[in-house]
Amino acid sequence: MRKTFLICVAVIFSAGIFAPLGSLFLRITPEGFVQVINSPQFSSAVWNTISTGLIATIISLTLALAAAWTLERTAIKHKNFFVIIFGVPMLIPSISHSFGLVALFGANGWLTNIFQWNFNIYGAAGIIAGSIMYAFPVAFFIFMSVLQCEDGSPYLAAEVLGVPKIRQFLDLTLPYLKRTIISTFFAIFSMIATDYGVPLMIGGKTITLSVLMYNKAVAMMDYNSGSVIGAFLIIPAVIAFLADILNPAQKQNDFAKNISVDDKYSSRAGFIFCLSLSALIVAPILTFCVMIFAAKYPADMSFTLYHVMRTIHRGALDNWLNSLIIAFISAGVGTIFSFALAYFSTRTEGFAARIIHLLSIFPMTIPGIALGLGYVIFFHDLPIYGTLIILAAVNVMHFFSSPYLMMRNTLEKISSNVEAVGKVLGIPRRFIIRDIILPKVRFTLYEMFAYFFVNAMMTISAVSYLAPPAPKPIALMITQFEAQRLIESAAVVSIAILLTNLALKIFFTMLNRKTPASQ
Amino acid sequence: MDIQLKLEVKEISKAYGNNEVLRRVNFAVLDGEFFSILGSSGCGKTTLLQILIGLLVADAGKIFKDGADITTLEPARRGMGIVFQNYALFDNMTVFKNVSYALQFHSVDNEAAIKKAAQMLDIVGLKNFSAKMPAELSGGQQQRVAIARALALEPDIILFDEPLSALDASTRLDIRRELKNIQRTLGTTMIYVTHDQEEAFALSDKIMILNRGVVSQIGSPEEIISAPANDYVKTFVLDNLQTKIDSLRRFLT
């Protein structure tokens, strides 16, 4: 049984990760490599990627840390509301953030028209702004969860010793967050550098590496140059991966106390800050909602269903259904697969468990666009190419690591003595898993399912190479409408994705509330 | 062979890499005996317990139960139960279900399982807590559920892995008393792992003192007190006990 399981895992990872990645690297020839790196486009793309990426990373991390700290350490009101709002950008594709910015600050944007002022949103400024909107929620939730676990005892001691709040932040909070800040910095930089949705839409003449790769591999079908750039895009993700594993997590003190929020420490500035951030996050989405139903945004704001109907007539409904099927398959298969691997790596010991763990976190190092190109090269002549199966497969492999780590963290908190008791009492392992483990981890299972689903609904990276012309994942219609300058239809698609993801999130929230804590 | 011999351990050794955790451990436990394995943290007592129950495989040595070699037998076929320090309860199941759950895998019909679980909960004084969830119970009550669960399959040996370490002093005394009662009532052989000298001396018919994976002494509490086998036994066991007696005296005067 164990041997069969390990063979299956080896086959899946070989076919799903290593063979496509190997095919990508095998495409790189010395001549092609030299040609790409000597091109003027390449050096400017490298500079643009690093400069915009670094600025956006620093700003998103600063905002995310400030927001997380404000919500965790002050007594401001409506915390749950802010948490929900800050999470909304995670439910729409990255390209939609740029659309929102264009709708507000672009040449014909709402705010541009009101203020009659050129915001110069196209180019590096737009890439930075869009990337911040895209990356902020990810960093925010990382900081929130880490701050929630912080031991409150040192703060009690500091209060008693009369240490001012600012020194508590500098001398206690920041050192505690050091590891998280370092690994989140690399993770967010890698996320921004490998995303092509934001720069494609709003970058104008500022081309980043990911857009260059998209242009080469998707638009010009130049897979050799695409492979060279794809290999370069793996570098930041590998650095992020190494930063994470070389910077091990601190063990939580067994006697940790929760940090109590002092009611007197209510922060008006914190509330205004969170409210302003929420406004910035909600504004593009609200603009989308207005734009969808406006006859000609922003000149003629009379109500119409024309844009919605036009989007449907162009195949949005079929593509939406197609996306739903892909998302459900990806989420179902991905959840089962990541649970199985997390269970194996936490509940068994030895070399095989360590290898499974390393294999499971390895997909984090591969940007979606590089993986997608690898799939094109490797699977091109196989019968599954162009089918739903390959789209679901690439989603599962691309998004696998995070749900795996979610489940691993949950399983590590469950004593392995449960299985030991099962063995001693003669309870078969499948019953221990079904009756004891699964009920205990069900909330994590829901989270994993939602993670796969939401990402499968909105991804435009790996699937952009693999999707057939019709039906295709609905998120890809945004790039199509971008090319056709049908901004209202792109907004319809963005809102459709947002509502679908929101519906799933609400469903799981209700399920969590309805499911009894015990059976 | 002595007909009263329940468990016999011969030349058990275990190493993790170069770290030798157990070295040629030999001991025997009589039927119905309360046998404690006493030692400081890291001396190999939990490893030994896991080898006895079959959760770990020894590098060398044999284990005999009722004269039969059980060294390679699966844990569930050894006729033993185990109680862990952290209870390891199935916390998504009620107290009753925790105790009755395993019976379905041993061809016990539903009616008999219900009867058996009720009987075990009665023995540990939790008859009125059947419908509660583990999270609703105190630490001591949770440990009683774990004991009832272990008893439900009628094992002839129960192993305890520092079962009272996480409990407060008063609850520890209560459970100690109950364990002795259960041992007397059911005649179950008990093997008890602890680092607490006082606990071992209060409960045991026989104590084995383990030091860095090697048996230092085996004997009744009286034998160990009157004739400690070496300096380790004297320091680790007797001096510690003496300190506790002295502080108790100071408190009383």
Side-chain angles (χ1 to χ4, degrees):
Chain A
M1 180 74 182
R2 183 185 158 98
K3 205 172 173 183
T4 314
F5 175 77
L6 291 173
I7 290 170
C8 287
V9 171
V11 169
I12 290 169
F13 272 93
S14 302
I17 295 284
F18 296 112
L21 211 58
S23 309
L24 180 92
F25 283 118
L26 285 174
R27 277 276 177 158
I28 302 171
T29 58
E31 301 79 36
F33 184 81
V34 171
Q35 192 190 348
V36 169
I37 62 165
N38 282 339
S39 67
Q41 273 181 320
F42 182 78
S43 50
S44 73
V46 170
W47 166 247
N48 291 335
T49 304
I50 293 173
S51 57
T52 56
L54 277 178
I55 296 168
T57 303
I58 291 166
I59 298 173
S60 355
L61 251 66
T62 311
L63 290 175
L65 179 56
W69 188 87
T70 306
L71 292 184
E72 273 303 309
R73 296 286 190 272
T74 70
I76 67 164
K77 288 179 182 170
H78 311 302
K79 287 186 181 186
N80 289 340
F81 167 78
F82 288 128
V83 171
I84 291 167
I85 293 294
F86 293 163
V88 167
M90 293 172 90
L91 304 179
I92 53 174
S94 59
I95 195 167
S96 302
H97 298 302
S98 323
F99 262 114
L101 289 171
V102 169
L104 284 170
F105 304 106
N108 202 21
W110 184 54
L111 293 176
T112 310
N113 283 335
I114 288 177
F115 294 108
Q116 291 295 310
W117 192 48
N118 181 6
F119 287 94
N120 287 324
I121 197 71
Y122 303 100
I127 296 174
I128 292 166
S131 299
I132 291 168
M133 296 189 71
Y134 168 53
F136 164 79
V138 178
F140 167 76
F141 282 108
I142 292 173
F143 286 132
M144 272 282 280
S145 63
V146 174
L147 283 172
Q148 275 167 357
C149 298
E150 192 181 5
D151 181 10
S153 320
Y155 291 89
L156 290 177
E159 281 294 320
V160 174
L161 295 168
V163 178
K165 292 276 186 200
I166 182 72
R167 291 306 302 268
Q168 288 183 26
F169 178 78
L170 294 173
D171 299 337
L172 296 175
T173 313
L174 280 184
Y176 167 73
L177 288 173
K178 188 179 150 195
R179 176 198 182 268
T180 311
I181 291 171
I182 293 170
S183 48
T184 311
F185 177 87
F186 287 108
I188 294 293
F189 177 78
S190 161
M191 187 180 151
I192 291 172
T194 56
D195 169 65
Y196 77 84
V198 171
L200 181 72
M201 173 62 207
I202 206 166
K205 288 177 183 168
T206 309
I207 304 287
T208 60
L209 273 178
S210 52
V211 174
L212 188 62
M213 181 177 173
Y214 178 82
N215 288 341
K216 294 276 184 197
V218 177
M220 296 155 70
M221 307 282 278
D222 177 1
Y223 293 165
N224 293 352
S225 300
S227 299
V228 174
I229 304 163
F232 272 94
L233 283 174
I234 292 173
I235 295 170
V238 170
I239 294 171
F241 179 73
L242 291 176
D244 204 48
I245 58 170
L246 294 175
N247 198 6
Q250 290 159 354
K251 199 176 178 296
Q252 173 78 328
N253 177 1
D254 289 341
F255 304 103
K257 286 177 183 296
N258 287 335
I259 291 183
S260 61
V261 176
D262 184 352
D263 280 340
K264 287 178 283 183
Y265 198 63
S266 175
S267 167
R268 184 170 289 181
F271 183 78
I272 293 168
F273 168 68
C274 288
L275 201 63
S276 313
L277 265 181
S278 303
L280 285 174
I281 286 167
V282 168
I285 295 163
L286 282 180
T287 314
F288 278 167
C289 294
V290 173
M291 190 188 278
I292 289 170
F293 301 112
K296 191 158 177 59
Y297 172 91
D300 179 2
M301 299 294 271
S302 54
F303 179 82
T304 178
L305 284 175
Y306 169 75
H307 304 302
V308 176
M309 298 315 292
R310 182 182 63 187
T311 312
I312 291 171
H313 285 143
R314 285 175 180 251
L317 202 57
D318 286 346
N319 291 335
W320 179 74
L321 283 172
N322 187 48
S323 274
L324 269 189
I325 295 167
I326 295 168
F328 274 115
I329 295 173
S330 308
V333 174
T335 304
I336 293 167
F337 187 48
S338 42
F339 170 80
L341 264 59
Y343 187 84
F344 187 89
S345 75
T346 50
R347 301 323 243 201
T348 58
E349 285 176 358
F351 184 68
R354 287 197 294 276
I355 290 292
I356 290 281
H357 177 61
L358 283 175
L359 278 179
S360 302
I361 55 176
F362 181 71
M364 270 196 291
T365 62
I366 310 159
I369 42 173
L371 188 65
L373 184 55
Y375 267 61
V376 172
I377 298 166
F378 182 72
F379 288 105
H380 194 267
D381 297 326
L382 296 177
I384 62 163
Y385 190 76
T387 64
L388 286 179
I389 297 168
I390 200 164
L391 293 173
V394 78
N395 283 337
V396 170
M397 298 318 294
H398 180 202
F399 300 115
F400 178 77
S401 298
S402 292
Y404 162 82
L405 287 172
M406 284 180 205
M407 182 49 76
R408 191 179 154 87
N409 288 339
T410 306
L411 286 171
E412 276 176 340
K413 288 177 190 141
I414 300 173
S415 166
S416 58
N417 284 343
V418 167
E419 276 88 353
V421 165
K423 271 187 187 175
V424 173
L425 297 178
I427 305 167
R429 189 179 280 262
R430 64 181 186 279
F431 286 95
I432 287 285
I433 293 174
R434 190 194 72 182
D435 296 340
I436 319 290
I437 302 292
L438 287 179
K440 280 172 89 105
V441 302
R442 66 178 180 277
F443 295 130
T444 311
L445 286 172
Y446 298 160
E447 272 183 54
M448 290 158 71
F449 189 95
Y451 182 88
F452 275 115
F453 184 93
V454 165
N455 281 293
M457 274 307 289
M458 64 182 196
T459 185
I460 55 168
S461 56
V463 294
S464 61
Y465 300 93
L466 295 162
K472 60 185 169 191
I474 190 170
L476 290 180
M477 291 187 86
I478 302 177
T479 47
Q480 175 196 321
F481 290 135
E482 185 268 340
Q484 295 166 349
R485 297 285 162 216
L486 296 173
I487 193 163
E488 294 86 357
S489 291
V492 173
V493 171
S494 299
I495 294 295
I497 293 170
L498 174 67
L499 292 178
T500 309
N501 287 339
L502 214 53
L504 185 97
K505 285 274 187 185
I506 291 167
F507 171 75
F508 277 124
T509 308
M510 286 166 66
L511 199 64
N512 280 347
R513 284 189 186 155
K514 272 192 176 175
T515 314
S518 55
Q519 294 194 344
Chain B
M1 195 176 74
D2 191 336
I3 53 160
Q4 282 195 308
L5 201 60
K6 190 74 194 170
L7 190 80
E8 200 175 3
V9 171
K10 287 186 176 173
E11 300 288 308
I12 287 288
S13 293
K14 177 78 185 172
Y16 295 110
N18 292 327
N19 181 21
E20 202 172 15
V21 183
L22 293 171
R23 202 182 321 154
R24 305 183 73 174
V25 172
N26 291 283
F27 66 93
V29 182
L30 299 180
D31 193 13
E33 194 170 48
F34 200 114
F35 185 94
S36 286
I37 301 169
L38 176 64
S40 53
S41 299
C43 74
K45 53 191 190 301
T46 297
T47 303
L48 179 57
L49 198 79
Q50 292 190 335
I51 290 171
L52 294 183
I53 195 90
L55 294 171
L56 271 180
V57 180
D59 297 338
K62 294 270 180 200
I63 303 165
F64 297 91
K65 185 172 158 249
D66 295 321
D69 185 351
I70 59 161
T71 316
T72 54
L73 219 56
E74 282 173 27
R77 299 180 63 197
R78 295 187 179 210
M80 297 184 188
I82 190 163
V83 175
F84 289 104
Q85 180 186 354
N86 65 357
Y87 327 129
L89 293 181
F90 307 144
D91 49 17
N92 57 314
M93 295 179 181
T94 61
V95 165
F96 191 86
K97 184 81 179 163
N98 259 281
V99 180
S100 65
Y101 179 64
L103 295 168
Q104 63 182 296
F105 304 102
H106 294 268
S107 312
V108 180
D109 66 57
N110 203 29
E111 202 178 321
I114 290 170
K115 209 170 157 188
K116 173 61 80 179
Q119 187 193 348
M120 293 304 126
L121 285 172
D122 194 20
I123 287 174
V124 297
L126 290 177
K127 200 168 69 174
N128 298 326
F129 292 80
S130 301
K132 297 254 184 209
M133 300 304 292
E136 297 174 274
L137 304 182
S138 68
Q141 288 168 331
Q142 290 192 44
Q143 196 55 290
R144 286 189 178 95
V145 178
I147 294 167
R149 181 177 65 182
L151 287 170
L153 285 172
E154 299 179 2
D156 36 16
I157 301 176
I158 300 188
L159 311 178
F160 294 89
D161 188 5
E162 309 225 21
L164 309 184
S165 302
L167 304 175
D168 63 75
S170 152
T171 312
R172 290 162 77 123
L173 282 175
D174 286 347
I175 296 188
R176 271 190 210 172
R177 212 170 293 130
E178 278 174 29
L179 284 179
K180 283 305 278 186
N181 282 339
I182 291 167
Q183 185 211 0
R184 284 190 201 111
T185 316
L186 302 178
T188 315
T189 306
M190 294 186 172
I191 299 179
Y192 192 94
V193 158
T194 182
H195 65 271
D196 186 322
Q197 299 88 350
E198 190 192 328
E199 209 163 85
F201 277 75
L203 285 167
S204 314
D205 300 312
K206 204 182 280 173
I207 299 170
M208 176 171 86
I209 295 164
L210 206 57
N211 178 26
R212 292 180 186 173
V214 178
V215 177
S216 286
Q217 187 171 7
I218 302 175
S220 67
E222 296 78 16
E223 283 167 351
I224 291 173
I225 288 171
S226 58
N230 53 37
D231 284 349
Y232 176 77
V233 176
K234 194 172 174 307
T235 320
F236 175 68
V237 183
L238 302 184
D239 287 357
N240 277 321
L241 275 178
Q242 192 58 49
T243 310
K244 284 189 180 175
I245 292 166
D246 290 346
S247 54
L248 195 62
R249 271 204 196 111
R250 272 199 301 278
F251 175 73
L252 292 171
T253 54

